[in-house]
Amino acid sequence: MEPGAASVTQMLSFEQALLEVEARLAAANFVPAIEVLPLSRAWGRILAEDVNADRDYPPFNRSTRDGFAIRSEDAGGANSVLTLAGEVRAGEYFKSEVGAGQCVAIMTGAPLPAGTDAVVMIEHTRTEGNKIEIERPVASFENVVRKGSECRAGKDILPKGRRLRAGEIGLLASVGKGNVAVYFRPRVAIIPTGDEIVPMDHKPEWYQIRNSNSAMLAAVVASAGAVPWEMGIGPDEKKALQSLIEKSLESDLLLLSGGVSMGKYDFVEDVLEDLGAEFYFRSVAIRPGKPLVFGRVQDTFFFGLPGNPVSGFVTCNLFARPAIGVLMGSRFEQPRFLRARLAKAVRHKTGLTTFMPARIETREAEPVVSLVGWQGSGDLVGVAEANGFLVVHPGQPAPEAGDWVDVMPMES
Ligand code: AMP
Ligand code: MG
């Protein structure tokens, strides 16, 4: 779908809404600033340079076993006997060429001596003095990783835009990138709203609720790689809410929580409108989370997330997380669905893409998913017990016990 193809008032499907977010962010052509960091601080960032291999990998024909380096043609049949010509350890190299009928004791990680092309494992040999009996035929390049087989010198090994996880960090270390160019972390403002909400370190009156959403959304933001900026609590009153939102517009993304439903005091959208916001959608056919607002005010993209903690958690992970990725230089990373067997039938109303807090267990031969006992979209006790969500699509019949179903593991 083209951005804006749907009318703002129309409820989008889950997939349409994701496409809309992706397209709007792409159209904004946001290019974050670049900084150079020591590799030890680059984990979780997005790479801002293309990285090439500085030499062949592996840089030499490397033995993967402790044993004897041989010329494979000397061990074409069983029980060949070779003469030991010396030893090569990892961190050394064998100084002369190995001739026909000779072999060299070799350790894992050592380079093959010139003249040899294979390694026979020590377990398949018998030693008598300087005579080594090879008990079985050995093929050329057995137990050897060939020079350049992982990659050739000069080859692109990591493209700009790649998220640096542990594997990428290891690869960068192996090519000697002690300092690496990465994109700046975007700043994500978080404004909780609601007259019943009090700071979490206040003792609430019996009719008040502690602000749990800010801390929770900040955790999602941080795990996505951005810097959370927890702002004060916005009241259900236009003027004060407006000045708080205006202050937040220095950020790269604004997450508003609450105040986007149909209630008499749900003013978030009015205030954004007064500030000249463009709205791309105002509701999405998902549960929890139907009243979900996405738009841009001045230069800052915003999400109006539902105030219900579980709805906020789900929509932040589904929509704000990939948006943060783009703002920090990554491609748009789709939420990942996997498959598991459903433990127990689920009653389910169709029409919405539904995300139910669940536990995904992998102790059996096949992954199994079961719902946690939860009481609806305010229930953080249930969410804390879950390690993912059962996903039921609109139009999908209520899943039965034993069905393969979609699940979404929790990322944070
Ligand atoms: P709203 O979306 O503003 O109608 O809020 C929906 C529900 O979420 C209400 O029960 C609110 O009390 C609750 N809620 C809203 N914001 C927060 C917050 N920051 N922390 C905890 N609960 C909240
Ligand atoms: Mg409210």
Side-chain angles (χ1 to χ4, degrees), residues 22 28 42 47 71 142 144 221 255 320 330 345 352 363 368 396:
E22 181 174 11
L47 191 62
R71 305 162 75 102
E142 207 170 308
V144 173
V221 166
L255 301 181
S330 158
L352 304 172
R363 276 191 295 261
V368 173
Q396 178 183 341

Side-chain angles (χ1 to χ4, degrees), residues 310-360:
V310 182
S311 314
F313 178 81
V314 168
T315 49
C316 186
N317 270 296
L318 291 174
F319 294 94
R321 178 185 287 281
I324 289 169
V326 173
L327 295 173
M328 66 190 288
S330 158
R331 66 189 171 78
F332 190 88
E333 294 163 313
Q334 295 281 341
R336 251 178 305 180
F337 295 165
L338 305 173
R339 306 280 277 169
R341 290 260 196 213
L342 185 63
K344 226 173 111 187
V346 171
R347 289 221 331 270
H348 161 70
K349 207 172 74 197
T350 56
L352 304 172
T353 307
T354 305
F355 298 84
M356 290 174 253
R359 279 209 69 83
I360 306 156

Side-chain angles (χ1 to χ4, degrees), residues 192-194 196-197 209-214 236 257-261 266 305-309:
T193 71
E196 77 283 28
I197 307 301
I209 299 291
R210 286 197 190 90
N211 172 23
S212 56
N213 287 354
S214 288
D236 292 324
S257 142
V260 290
S261 298
D266 287 334
L305 306 173
N308 261 315

Side-chain angles (χ1 to χ4, degrees), residues 36 39 45 169 194 228 255 327 355 372 381 387 393:
V36 175
L39 188 59
R45 292 300 195 90
I169 296 287
L255 301 181
L327 295 173
F355 298 84
V372 299
V381 179
N387 64 0
H393 301 279

Side-chain angles (χ1 to χ4, degrees), residues 40-316:
S40 58
R41 289 178 42 213
W43 178 86
R45 292 300 195 90
I46 307 295
L47 191 62
E49 58 177 322
D50 294 325
V51 175
N52 304 322
D54 61 320
R55 55 178 182 164
D56 282 350
Y57 287 89
F60 48 81
N61 288 331
R62 184 182 68 215
S63 175
T64 61
R65 296 280 188 254
D66 297 320
F68 296 92
I70 64 169
R71 305 162 75 102
S72 58
E73 76 252 24
D74 286 349
N79 304 100
S80 330
V81 177
L82 304 179
T83 305
L84 188 63
E87 176 186 276
V88 58
R89 303 161 52 158
E92 293 178 347
Y93 63 96
F94 195 68
K95 312 275 182 318
S96 50
E97 176 138 1
V98 176
Q102 291 187 321
C103 68
V104 169
I106 192 166
M107 311 304 143
T108 301
L112 253 65
T116 66
D117 68 344
V119 170
V120 54
M121 287 165 68
I122 196 147
E123 292 86 337
H124 300 150
T125 64
R126 248 197 333 249
T127 300
E128 270 198 52
N130 70 343
K131 294 296 174 198
I132 311 297
E133 186 181 337
I134 315 293
E135 292 171 339
R136 55 169 73 180
V138 178
S140 189
F141 292 105
E142 207 170 308
N143 299 320
V144 173
V145 186
R146 291 179 81 158
K147 179 177 193 293
S149 63
E150 292 161 3
C151 79
R152 287 284 178 198
K155 185 177 173 282
D156 286 347
I157 47 165
L158 281 177
K160 164 164 46 175
R162 180 69 74 81
R163 188 175 286 274
L164 300 180
R165 303 160 303 163
E168 284 81 4
I169 296 287
L171 182 54
L172 288 170
S174 74
V175 301
K177 289 291 289 181
N179 293 292
V180 61
V182 296
Y183 293 112
F184 264 95
R185 302 172 74 188
R187 193 152 63 128
V188 179
I190 298 167
I191 303 183
T193 71
D195 282 343
E196 77 283 28
I197 307 301
V198 297
M200 67 172 173
D201 51 358
H202 282 211
K203 188 169 165 21
E205 296 293 342
W206 64 268
Y207 51 85
Q208 295 178 319
I209 299 291
R210 286 197 190 90
N211 172 23
S212 56
N213 287 354
S214 288
M216 177 184 65
L217 297 175
V220 177
V221 166
S223 78
V227 182
W229 178 19
E230 287 186 54
M231 307 196 67
I233 297 167
D236 292 324
E237 189 273 311
K238 280 194 181 179
K239 240 176 119 177
L241 193 53
Q242 174 161 343
S243 63
L244 200 56
I245 292 179
E246 277 178 319
K247 194 169 140 205
S248 77
L249 298 182
E250 289 167 33
S251 66
D252 301 296
L253 178 69
L254 167 59
L255 301 181
L256 288 138
S257 142
V260 290
S261 298
M262 300 301 283
K264 188 171 164 197
Y265 301 104
D266 287 334
F267 288 138
V268 164
E269 287 162 272
D270 292 353
V271 169
L272 288 164
E273 239 153 54
D274 291 347
L275 289 170
E278 258 191 291
F279 289 81
Y280 304 134
F281 56 76
R282 293 183 193 239
S283 90
V284 182
I286 60 174
R287 192 174 59 175
K290 209 162 66 177
L292 171 67
V293 180
F294 172 56
R296 195 173 192 187
V297 55
Q298 295 162 27
D299 275 338
T300 304
F301 284 102
F302 64 83
F303 287 97
L305 306 173
N308 261 315
V310 182
S311 314
F313 178 81
V314 168
T315 49
C316 186

